[in-house]
Amino acid sequence: MTEKSSQSGTNLDYKQIFQSLSQAIAVIDPLTHQVIYENAIFFDWFAPDDDVDGAIADRLPDLKMDRLMSRIEEGRSFKFETEVKIKSRDVPVRVTFRPVQNEDQPYILAEASDITKEKESQYMLESYSRLAEKNTKKLESEKNRVERLLLNIMPKSIYEELKDSGVTSPQRFEGATILMLDFVKFTDMTISHDPSALVSELNDIFSSFDRIVENFSGERIRTIGDSYMCACGLPEENEDHAKNMAKVALRIRRYLERRNDAHPQEWRCRMGLNSGSVIGSLVGIQKYVYDLFGPGVNLAARMESLSEPMHITTNQATYELLKDEFLFSKRGEHDVRGFGKMNLYYLESEQPR
């Protein structure tokens, strides 16, 4: 066999190898950018138009030749993704260009492969990621909703203790002031015969009370029917607990007076204030309620029951804490059930400055 025939046989072997590959293969001249050899798959995927001369840029209109040649000149590969029509179906393919040398002659080798499965996997992964992100956001939203609900029925520090340890311990607070309130002749009010209107107005009123209490570092403890209970000095200590609750009581009364002037239904309340020691605890297993117990709470309830419409009643001990900054009127001595005789006072207003 002559050298020529031997060389021809070698070329035939290479051609057969290229044609047997499952990938699309092409060899490109780096100077003219012409496709100088391609296997059948490459030709079918990137068939030239009749009126073009076979330059790779004409086969791949979206190919950035300047970026491709820059990479090739640096001795690096360049990847390009596009779509080809195979049996009336758009198929994603990736073409990888890389520099090759053959007997000191530089060429560009282009290899194209079907990346449908890769794209499907990528799409599934992205779908799972989006679903996981959506579920995470949903869980976070539900967690925030539960947290808001729990913070509506217990102080934040109690909630944090419950969240961290799963249990809470009863606490004794030596310096706290409790405000008890209920509405006068609630069951006789005209609005009490319209449940939806009643709930709507109570919600409006109690929400306004909550904002006043919060402004003076207090905690709404509970509402039962037409009664409202709040306190200051717990669960965080506050040396101004008596002063803060006195201001709350005065502003609640002022709010109701203004509301009554603007609404057809009049709401009149009695309020009682007491300062002293109380015990705070979370009660219940499935339905949590944060509540206060002890003589301090009982005496606040007695002050409220002995009060008069749109008045704030307190006792001697609380009066002593507030007398330098607030104005009072004496009510005289009263027999307080469970506590004996006590001097009672009406809280009237803050001292003028």
Side-chain angles (χ1 to χ4, degrees):
M1 180 181 293
T2 65
E3 180 179 352
K4 182 176 181 180
S5 62
S6 174
Q7 185 176 3
S8 175
T10 301
N11 288 338
L12 179 62
D13 290 340
Y14 282 137
K15 182 176 181 180
Q16 289 177 340
I17 291 172
F18 284 159
Q19 293 296 347
S20 66
L21 294 175
S22 60
Q23 285 183 301
I25 299 291
V27 178
I28 301 165
D29 187 322
L31 297 178
T32 64
H33 306 162
Q34 297 290 311
V35 176
I36 57 179
Y37 175 78
E38 61 190 319
N39 65 2
I41 299 175
F42 197 95
F43 181 87
D44 291 340
W45 284 3
F46 309 107
D49 292 334
D50 293 339
D51 59 347
V52 300
D53 57 5
I56 191 63
D58 296 324
R59 305 280 198 96
L60 301 171
D62 296 330
L63 180 63
K64 306 296 184 183
M65 285 303 300
D66 53 344
R67 295 181 61 186
L68 165 62
M69 294 310 300
S70 176
R71 291 288 187 92
I72 295 298
E73 289 167 5
E74 294 172 357
R76 301 162 60 193
S77 62
F78 178 78
K79 293 182 179 181
F80 169 74
E81 291 185 7
T82 186
E83 288 187 347
V84 297
K85 187 79 72 176
I86 300 177
K87 296 179 180 179
S88 302
R89 184 170 65 93
D90 290 329
V91 176
V93 297
R94 179 182 295 119
V95 186
T96 302
F97 300 89
R98 67 167 118 280
V100 294
Q101 290 282 132
N102 182 27
E103 298 179 355
D104 297 329
Q105 178 67 38
Y107 295 99
I108 300 173
L109 178 64
E111 303 169 85
S113 55
D114 183 344
I115 56 173
T116 300
K117 291 188 179 299
E118 179 182 329
K119 288 293 184 181
E120 288 174 350
S121 298
Q122 183 180 351
Y123 175 77
M124 289 179 63
L125 181 60
E126 290 175 353
S127 297
Y128 286 136
S129 297
R130 286 194 296 269
L131 181 61
E133 183 180 358
K134 181 179 178 181
N135 288 337
T136 299
K137 289 181 178 179
K138 187 176 180 180
L139 286 172
E140 187 66 24
S141 176
E142 186 65 17
K143 175 189 169 189
N144 292 337
R145 187 183 72 85
V146 171
E147 182 174 306
R148 286 194 300 271
L149 288 173
L150 288 172
L151 288 174
N152 279 333
I153 62 174
M154 68 184 72
K156 186 173 183 180
S157 61
I158 304 300
Y159 166 74
E160 294 293 342
E161 182 182 1
L162 179 66
K163 184 174 69 172
D164 293 340
S165 62
V167 296
T168 61
S169 303
Q171 293 176 281
R172 183 180 181 88
F173 306 100
E174 296 298 339
T177 297
I178 301 95
L179 168 64
M180 303 283 283
L181 174 152
D182 77 343
F183 289 102
V184 179
K185 296 182 178 180
F186 176 73
T187 55
D188 296 334
M189 295 169 62
T190 304
I191 198 171
S192 65
H193 303 295
D194 184 347
S196 61
L198 174 66
V199 171
S200 177
E201 291 218 19
L202 269 179
N203 180 66
D204 180 42
I205 292 169
F206 285 163
S207 296
S208 297
F209 289 180
D210 287 345
R211 288 191 289 271
I212 295 170
V213 171
E214 185 178 350
N215 286 340
F216 290 94
S217 304
E219 288 281 350
R220 187 264 293 251
I221 304 302
R222 67 168 183 258
T223 62
I224 301 177
D226 66 321
S227 66
Y228 185 92
M229 176 181 175
C230 58
C232 184
L234 58 92
E236 285 79 30
E237 294 183 1
N238 190 320
E239 62 180 11
D240 294 325
H241 57 88
K243 181 169 61 176
N244 286 348
M245 279 297 99
K247 290 180 178 180
V248 166
L250 291 170
R251 281 159 178 77
I252 283 177
R253 183 170 65 183
R254 189 185 309 160
Y255 162 77
L256 285 177
E257 289 171 344
R258 291 178 176 176
R259 191 181 195 281
N260 289 339
D261 290 339
H263 287 73
Q265 177 63 58
E266 188 174 75
W267 293 79
R268 293 166 60 78
C269 72
R270 288 185 295 260
M271 285 184 275
L273 275 179
N274 177 59
S275 300
S277 62
V278 297
I279 295 171
S281 179
L282 194 66
V283 294
I285 298 175
Q286 292 181 324
K287 295 183 178 180
Y288 295 117
V289 175
Y290 183 77
D291 210 348
L292 302 180
F293 308 91
V297 178
N298 296 338
L299 187 51
R302 299 289 185 271
M303 295 300 98
E304 178 264 309
S305 64
L306 290 170
S307 194
E308 296 293 336
M310 300 304 281
H311 282 80
I312 306 158
T313 296
T314 190
N315 51 59
Q316 187 73 38
T318 307
Y319 165 78
E320 295 296 335
L321 295 173
L322 297 171
K323 64 181 181 180
D324 293 335
E325 298 186 48
F326 294 83
L327 296 177
F328 292 84
S329 59
K330 292 182 180 181
R331 292 194 60 192
E333 190 176 69
H334 285 68
D335 188 11
V336 180
R337 184 163 58 90
F339 295 90
K341 299 216 177 267
M342 286 186 171
N343 289 319
L344 302 186
Y345 299 83
Y346 282 142
L347 172 63
E348 301 292 355
S349 64
E350 295 183 56
Q351 288 273 15
R353 296 183 179 181

